[in-house]
Every structure is written in structure tokens, then in C-alpha cells.
């Protein structure tokens, strides 16, 4: 059995590769079990997984998933680990044709854009739990009075900038951030927003 040749650019790491040039037949289908290929990129924060589903079923198909990776610092080993968001793939592709799979793989390996980790961090791979919780509240509930009050009390620059970027931002909130914002950056952004056409009309 020969491994399937792939065009893998720098920046990708092959965790394992059991993808061969063998096509599924009644004689070979027993080989099509488990994950056949897993590659990941710590710079793109993405992984590509290929398996055959249902396993060892002649009427199955190759299933490709692009998985987002979240950096997680391990303080015991002093290394960065990466946790896949397997429950929410960024992309899924299914085919019974090996050449179609190879073409898709080779394209994705070169064209996938990096995932931007939007979590609030204390340092790379270490989540700022209280402030990240506030960010999640903002995403889930919008600009409620409670969310705004908590973010104002946090005095956290990034959270306050997220308020200013919110589609439901009001002039009153912008004026409050102009006066009480967490630093010059937030206050300057609030000042610019108040000078914009949207708020001048208001």
C-alpha cells in the first residue's frame, strides 16, 4: 500500500496519515476505519481530519472536516496545547471519489485562512475567565443594562471597544464611554463615533 501523495506546505504538521492510494472495494474496505488523516497548523489554528463513514462500509464516503483550534497553555509542561472545537466544524466535505478528496485537501492546505481567537486572554493560551464570561454575555444577550453595567465596572478596554462596535450601540452609551472609558483608546473611539454621521443625525 502506498500513501496518497499530498501537497503539504510549510506550517502544517501531519499527526498521522493512513490515507493510501487504495480505493474501497469488498477486499479493501476493512482498511477504511478510524481517522485516516489528521493535519494541523498552529499558525492557522486549524486542523483537517479525514475519515471514512460509516466505518468499513462499502457504501460509505470520505468525510473531511476543518476544525478550529483554541490554544491552551499547559502550566505543568510549560507548553502550548491546542483544543479542537469538534462539535462545530468550520467546513465539511463528503465524497466517495479519492481524487476529489485529494484535490479538496490540496486546495485547503494552501487557501485556508487563519482563525482569529477572539477570546479575552491573560496571556497566549490562558483565558481571562471573568472578562471572557462578560464577552460571552454580550454575545448572547446583547446590550442589556446589566451587560453594559458589568462591562463598565470591569474597566476592560477590549470589552468596552466591543460595546462601541456593537450594532445596537446608542448615543447615550457612547457618551458614557467618552467620559468613563478605560483609557484614551476607548475615549478616542467614542469621540470619533459621536462625530460620525449616524450620531450627528441623532
Amino acid at each position: 500500500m502506498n500513501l496518497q501523495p499530498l501537497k503539504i506546505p510549510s506550517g502544517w504538521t501531519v499527526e498521522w496519515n493512513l490515507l493510501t492510494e487504495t480505493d474501497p472495494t469488498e477486499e479493501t474496505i476493512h482498511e477504511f476505519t478510524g481517522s485516516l488523516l489528521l493535519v494541523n497548523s498552529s499558525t492557522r489554528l486549524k486542523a483537517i481530519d479525514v475519515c471514512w463513514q460509516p466505518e468499513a462500509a462499502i457504501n460509505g464516503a470520505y468525510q473531511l472536516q476543518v476544525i478550529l483550534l483554541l490554544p491552551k497553555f499547559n502550566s505543568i509542561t510549560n507548553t502550548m496545547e491546542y483544543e479542537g472545537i469538534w462539535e462545530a466544524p468550520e467546513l465539511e466535505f463528503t465524497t466517495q471519489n479519492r481524487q476529489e478528496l485529494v484535490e479538496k485537501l490540496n486546495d485547503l492546505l494552501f487557501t485556508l485562512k487563519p482563525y482569529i481567537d477572539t477570546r479575552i486572554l491573560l496571556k497566549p493560551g490562558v483565558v481571562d475567565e471573568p472578562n471572557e464570561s462578560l464577552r460571552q454575555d454580550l454575545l448572547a444577550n446583547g446590550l442589556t443594562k446589566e451587560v453594559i453595567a458589568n462591562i463598565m465596572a470591569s474597566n476592560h478596554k477590549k470589552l468596552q471597544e466591543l460595546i462601541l462596535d456593537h450594532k445596537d450601540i446608542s448615543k447615550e452609551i457612547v457618551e458614557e464611554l467618552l467620559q468613563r472609558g478605560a483609557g484614551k483608546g476607548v475615549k478616542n473611539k467614542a469621540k470619533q463615533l459621536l462625530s460620525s454621521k449616524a450620531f450627528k443625525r441623532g
Side-chain angles (χ1 to χ4, degrees):
M1 293 184 296
N2 294 321
L3 289 178
Q4 172 64 54
L6 296 170
K7 298 175 182 177
I8 301 178
S10 61
W12 288 94
T13 300
V14 179
E15 294 297 325
W16 58 76
N17 182 10
L18 303 175
L19 185 64
T20 70
E21 293 181 299
T22 303
D23 289 316
T25 65
E26 293 291 352
E27 290 73 31
T28 63
I29 194 62
H30 65 278
E31 300 172 14
F32 290 74
T33 59
S35 176
L36 302 175
L37 175 72
L38 180 64
V39 295
N40 60 52
S41 171
S42 60
T43 54
R44 290 179 175 85
L45 293 182
K46 291 183 180 179
I48 301 175
D49 178 72
V50 175
C51 61
W52 180 270
Q53 291 291 337
E55 290 191 1
I58 194 65
N59 61 343
Y62 293 105
Q63 291 193 356
L64 178 154
Q65 291 185 320
V66 175
I67 304 298
L68 303 179
L69 301 177
L70 294 178
K72 188 175 183 180
F73 183 73
N74 187 325
S75 59
I76 297 175
T77 61
N78 203 36
T79 57
M80 192 70 75
E81 299 173 351
Y82 297 89
E83 188 175 276
I85 310 176
W86 290 90
E87 66 276 11
E90 181 186 53
L91 180 149
E92 294 182 285
F93 175 77
T94 301
T95 181
Q96 291 184 318
N97 186 292
R98 178 169 51 86
Q99 287 305 318
E100 283 185 3
L101 172 70
V102 171
E103 289 175 10
K104 188 68 172 180
L105 273 168
N106 286 335
D107 177 62
L108 290 173
L109 287 166
F110 280 90
T111 62
L112 277 177
K113 295 181 179 179
Y115 169 60
I116 305 300
D117 185 1
T118 57
R119 298 174 301 170
I120 295 179
L121 307 174
L122 292 171
K123 62 180 182 179
V126 180
V127 176
D128 181 345
E129 297 290 354
N131 287 315
E132 174 60 13
S133 178
L134 290 178
R135 187 183 76 89
Q136 293 295 335
D137 285 345
L138 175 61
L139 291 175
N141 303 311
L143 293 179
T144 65
K145 288 184 178 180
E146 182 180 0
V147 167
I148 293 168
N150 288 337
I151 290 179
M152 291 301 297
S154 75
N155 203 37
H156 193 279
K157 178 183 175 182
K158 183 175 179 180
L159 285 171
Q160 293 184 1
E161 288 180 344
L162 288 175
I163 288 182
L164 289 170
D165 291 334
H166 200 280
K167 62 181 179 63
D168 296 327
I169 186 74
S170 68
K171 186 174 182 179
E172 290 73 23
I173 298 172
V174 179
E175 288 174 339
E176 184 176 2
L177 284 166
L178 177 61
Q179 298 300 320
R180 299 175 49 213
K184 289 183 178 180
V186 172
K187 292 178 180 179
N188 286 339
K189 189 169 184 175
K191 185 177 181 180
Q192 291 172 4
L193 198 54
L194 285 173
S195 300
S196 66
K197 290 181 179 179
F199 287 105
K200 278 189 173 181
R201 286 198 301 268

